[in-house]
Amino acid sequence: MKQETLSVAEKKNLDGAQYKVLQRMVKEQLKLYRALKVRLQNKRECEAVGVGQLFPSIRENYIKDDLKVKQINRAIVDGLDAVEREIIELKYLQPSIPTDVQVYMEMYLKKEIFYQKKKSAIISIAYSLGMI
């Protein structure tokens, strides 16, 4: 089922300061998403060969981690259009951290379109994850 997105009027109701806070929150979750995804892959790999925990751990919260990965993935895949998804993947889900200019140049987007789509993607992800 496709996630409901904010209307244009609701998106415009976020002032600059609110959007900056929201952007920072979403960015942190996307960064965490990359790490959690790897952590869960490592856990499944160990389970597949019958090996327990390879490294010491101060927290055992795989259920929450698995839910976060699934919900963030759903927000990206089902909640964004193709252009928004590509922006998020290039900007936040790669090991390297490209600048906005590098991303919109690579995608052959105009600067204005890039920033509109990026903002829309951030707000849609936040909405999908219940941050707003």
Side-chain angles (χ1 to χ4, degrees):
M1 186 165 121
K2 193 158 177 111
Q3 292 286 332
E4 188 178 316
T5 58
L6 291 176
S7 70
V8 175
E10 289 173 311
K11 289 178 183 180
K12 291 184 179 188
N13 284 338
L14 287 176
D15 65 28
Q18 289 174 320
Y19 175 71
K20 284 294 183 189
V21 169
L22 191 63
Q23 183 180 27
R24 190 171 30 256
M25 289 170 50
V26 169
K27 183 179 174 182
E28 287 172 10
Q29 291 304 310
L30 291 172
K31 192 174 181 181
L32 180 63
Y33 168 74
R34 287 189 350 230
L36 289 176
K37 208 167 147 182
V38 170
R39 179 180 186 191
L40 292 171
Q41 287 171 338
N42 289 344
K43 181 181 184 293
R44 290 184 185 114
E45 185 177 64
C46 288
E47 288 172 350
V49 295
V51 176
Q53 181 85 14
L54 288 176
F55 305 100
S57 176
I58 58 172
R59 71 183 265 269
E60 295 289 329
N61 209 353
Y62 290 109
I63 295 171
K64 273 188 171 180
D65 292 348
D66 194 37
L67 281 173
K68 279 187 177 185
V69 167
K70 286 177 182 176
Q71 290 184 7
I72 292 171
N73 188 62
R74 187 178 309 120
I76 293 168
V77 172
D78 295 340
L80 304 178
D81 67 32
V83 174
E84 292 169 339
R85 187 174 20 254
E86 187 174 1
I87 289 170
I88 294 299
E89 288 171 352
L90 290 173
K91 180 70 180 164
Y92 301 110
L93 301 180
Q94 301 297 319
S96 64
I97 303 171
T99 64
D100 286 350
V101 174
Q102 290 171 316
V103 174
Y104 70 71
M105 294 293 281
E106 182 176 328
M107 292 180 67
Y108 301 104
L109 290 175
K110 289 184 178 181
K111 183 178 178 178
E112 298 78 24
I113 300 296
F114 169 80
Y115 283 109
Q116 288 171 358
K117 287 295 201 174
K118 180 182 170 191
K119 183 176 184 177
S120 176
I122 295 290
I123 291 170
S124 293
I125 289 170
Y127 190 77
S128 297
L129 297 177
M131 295 176 167
I132 53 174

